[in-house]
Amino acid sequence: MYEFTEDFKLRKLTKYELDGVDEREDLVVIPPSSKAGPCGSYCLFCYLRQNPPEMIYRVSFHDTLNDPELEKRIAHVNEHYPELWIRVTDTAGNVGLDEMRVESLYKAGLDEIQISVHTTKKKKRIALMRSPLAGKLIDLLPLLANTFRVIADIILTPGYNVDDIGEIIGDLASMEVAEVRLFPVGVTRYNRDVRPLTREELVFVKETALDVGNETGIEVVIPPIFKALLGEFRLEIGPFDFKPSMPTYILTGELAYPELKRIFPRIPVVAVRNEFFGGNIGTAGLLTGRDVLRTVEKLPDVDLGLILLPELMFHGDKTLDGFTREELLSRILLEKGYMVESALEPGEIPKILESVGAV
């Protein structure tokens, strides 16, 4: 899998940098470039609008379809890498999309488009996305699905698309949308407009969606974060029955904690509570330097130990609250005595332990 970067290069991707969903190996995704304009939405659940004021990682409110060079980028991939399957991601379809644009994208060589659909009910989509333009996508979906393979993302938001999820998925199937992905809404303490789903709602959505998928043939994907909230997230590895030769701790987010405990029963696994965002945020990719340091402070001092962090918490060379990788790792070593390594996925941890002489 690859990402086609703004400087017209292919960058290798893992599924953990997408939705954590298993993807086809020949996939190349085209995300928004820095030239992409605004998405035209003010979504109730938008993570960009519920961030702490100390957040240093800023992303503009852009949309891939509002990128003036999108067709040029698609055509370049199509010409130079004809063996790859081209997907456009990160689009709400509220701006820059009409019948002529569909034809333009098709001629450029687009294979697949992943759209934040959320609901097939026009009035609810307008209210949820707080955009008067949000209703028009519903009329365009049949044409899109007839032209490209369409993935419909649904951010499950109580009051908008939970109770009628079966009807929504049925509508998408009738429009010949190929796939729907279901994501429970993430709510930080800075969002007063949305609440997280209850366990009962999560169970209802999962059971209903899978039933409708079986009846209609549309592919229904339950991503790892959904499974983790239900306590059903499992990886096809482990458990590993070894004990490190030095004091070792694995730090992770609250959602991955139970599975990592299963995979590494003889290594202490510590769940880092995300106080930076608060709310129901428990993914490893949103951990911050200050939350990690607060957690490490409670660990015993050692002459030499090892702490394993999730690589996904580093965005470039920084955490979301501004710590550089070097600063964070140096503080932990100097203040507590632990070397620090990072792993993109749990399967890398045994190799890391071996490389540092911990087993």
Side-chain angles (χ1 to χ4, degrees), residues 144-294:
L144 283 164
N146 190 51
T147 310
F148 314 110
R149 185 179 188 274
V150 173
I151 300 172
D153 284 349
I154 295 179
I155 306 297
L156 295 158
T157 309
Y160 294 89
N161 55 16
V162 174
D163 294 341
D164 60 347
I165 189 63
E167 186 177 348
I168 293 169
I169 295 176
D171 289 343
L172 293 171
S174 69
M175 297 174 187
E176 299 188 359
V177 169
E179 178 182 335
V180 58
R181 298 185 179 185
L182 302 170
F183 300 92
V185 64
V187 183
T188 76
R189 66 171 179 266
Y190 300 92
N191 191 331
R192 300 290 184 264
D193 299 321
V194 177
R195 66 166 176 82
L197 276 72
T198 64
R199 178 175 178 80
E200 291 73 20
E201 287 171 329
L202 289 167
V203 171
F204 167 76
V205 168
K206 178 187 173 184
E207 292 178 350
T208 302
L210 292 176
D211 285 345
V212 175
N214 288 332
E215 292 170 3
T216 62
I218 189 172
E219 182 179 355
V220 175
V221 175
I222 309 295
I225 189 171
F226 195 124
K227 295 176 183 178
L229 287 168
L230 285 173
E232 299 175 353
F233 177 56
R234 293 291 182 273
L235 294 171
E236 295 181 1
I237 59 171
F240 294 101
D241 188 25
F242 54 75
K243 185 175 181 179
S245 58
M246 67 174 67
T248 300
Y249 294 88
I250 299 172
L251 271 60
T252 189
E254 291 178 304
L255 290 178
Y257 170 74
E259 179 64 351
L260 284 175
K261 277 195 70 176
R262 181 194 70 81
I263 295 173
F264 301 103
R266 303 189 68 189
I267 302 177
V269 180
V270 181
V272 179
R273 178 164 178 76
N274 198 321
E275 294 184 1
F276 184 74
F277 288 101
N280 71 338
I281 306 302
T283 60
L286 293 179
L287 290 182
T288 60
R290 68 188 67 184
D291 285 328
V292 165
L293 288 172
R294 187 193 70 252

Side-chain angles (χ1 to χ4, degrees), residues 8-23:
F8 284 65
K9 295 180 180 178
L10 291 180
R11 182 179 76 86
K12 193 77 173 175
L13 278 179
T14 71
K15 68 179 183 179
Y16 300 97
E17 296 174 86
L18 297 173
D19 301 325
V21 174
D22 290 328
E23 302 277 10

